[in-house]
Amino acid sequence: MKQILTLLIVFFVLFSCKNENNTSENSDKLTQKEQKTDPSFGIVIHGGAGTILKKNMSDSLEKAYKAKLKKAITVGHTILKNGGTAMEAVTKTINVMENSPLFNAGKGAVFTHEETNELDASVMDGATLNAGAVAGVTHIKNPIDLALSVMNNSPHVLLSGKGAERFAEEQGIKLVDPSYFYTEKRFQSLQRIKDREKAELDHDSKVSFTDPFIKDSKFGTVGCAALDKNGNLAAGTSTGGMTNKRWNRIGDAPIIGAGTYANNATCAVSSTGWGEYFIRAMVAHDISAMMEYKGVTLQEAAEEVIQKKVPELGGDGGIIAIDKDGNVSMEFNTAGMYRAHMNANGDLKIGIYGE
Ligand code: ASP
């Protein structure tokens, strides 16, 4: 009898231990699941980097920039708050900036040397590592939408020029007359740069791309990176490129890994700056790769690339990025960068100049 009782007690103890293990396993799973569906999300945008100084900015222009940045980020934030995808938030946010003449993208695109407007854009989905991009399009009102179509509806990643526009027509994307992109301000910038270039050539001096006047003709791109409630990351970038560009020059904005990168394992990044250097430094992918292979934080990676690697090559500019946990970086090595960030609570930060 005593033996039977002892056996029963042993069985009881073993059984309850097993159950306890099950419970703790389940609660671990639950915690992981909870983390995955944790409604922490966030969004960060830029409207270009460059010699943006308070002393050169009128109060009304500063107000206009801040209002547009707020409007754009609120569109994306609302999508995320309502459970929309990071990609939808990114493209719809960029649409607001593309439709504004304030930024060098869509409506406000800068002029080429031939007095045309050639637009570049790209998107990347961090969940699938799928990407789409267009370069040198001249009839597309919202190039970011075409980049998304390239990703979703074509077997390719990057389409350019006339072919990209034929694809747009097939996709039912309406083409606009190039005159849509005319803005007096951008046209005058081109004329000033051409005059400057001519004066330098007349004096037999080589046109210098480090001349601050010519150098700053590059900046003003828009970009967005977002984390949605399902833990998915996405990034996108759209630009008119650099004023006075020639020979169908293409910058970093449509180059996956340079202008745009997103990976759910690390972060989502959009770049703005001197595109040639951003391509050579593979800025957006480099930040993600440092996080993935070296285990550094987003901010450490962004500082390394923007404050060391790019300037050591001779380039300048900045990035905005958000990581898989919602941490944000808005790093730049220029005097200013139009930027904004909104977290899950709706706290909004807008900046223009350096700290
Ligand atoms: N990165 C863009 C380009 O080189 C310009 C910019 O960001 O403003 O085309």
Side-chain angles (χ1 to χ4, degrees), residues 192-304:
R192 281 198 300 275
I193 288 171
K194 278 185 165 178
D195 290 348
R196 178 82 164 219
E197 215 178 46
K198 193 168 174 297
E200 290 199 17
L201 289 173
D202 286 351
H203 284 92
D204 228 18
S205 60
K206 201 170 164 283
V207 178
S208 161
F209 279 103
T210 52
D211 173 342
F213 193 83
I214 304 233
K215 202 171 87 158
D216 263 356
S217 63
K218 292 173 190 62
F219 302 125
T221 297
V222 306
C224 178
L227 169 70
D228 66 28
K229 286 185 177 179
N230 290 319
N232 289 322
L233 289 163
T237 311
S238 182
T239 189
M242 64 184 276
T243 309
N244 201 30
K245 64 185 180 182
R246 294 173 219 210
W247 309 302
N248 300 119
R249 177 262 189 194
I250 293 166
D252 59 316
I255 307 298
I256 298 302
T260 299
Y261 196 75
N263 182 342
N264 273 8
T266 54
C267 62
V269 186
S270 169
S271 310
T272 175
W274 196 338
E276 279 68 13
Y277 290 92
F278 276 61
I279 293 173
R280 290 168 55 201
M282 269 287 122
V283 166
H285 180 260
D286 227 44
I287 292 171
S288 167
M290 281 179 68
M291 292 177 72
E292 189 172 0
Y293 303 131
K294 283 178 91 178
V296 303
T297 65
L298 171 64
Q299 186 52 29
E300 285 166 344
E303 276 175 29
E304 178 78 25

Side-chain angles (χ1 to χ4, degrees), residues 5 58-59 105 167 173 182 184 240 249 256 267 272 283-284 339 345:
L5 244 168
S58 69
D59 284 351
F167 172 74
I173 293 177
Y182 185 90
E184 188 59 23
R249 177 262 189 194
I256 298 302
C267 62
T272 175
V283 166
R339 59 198 186 276
N345 300 330

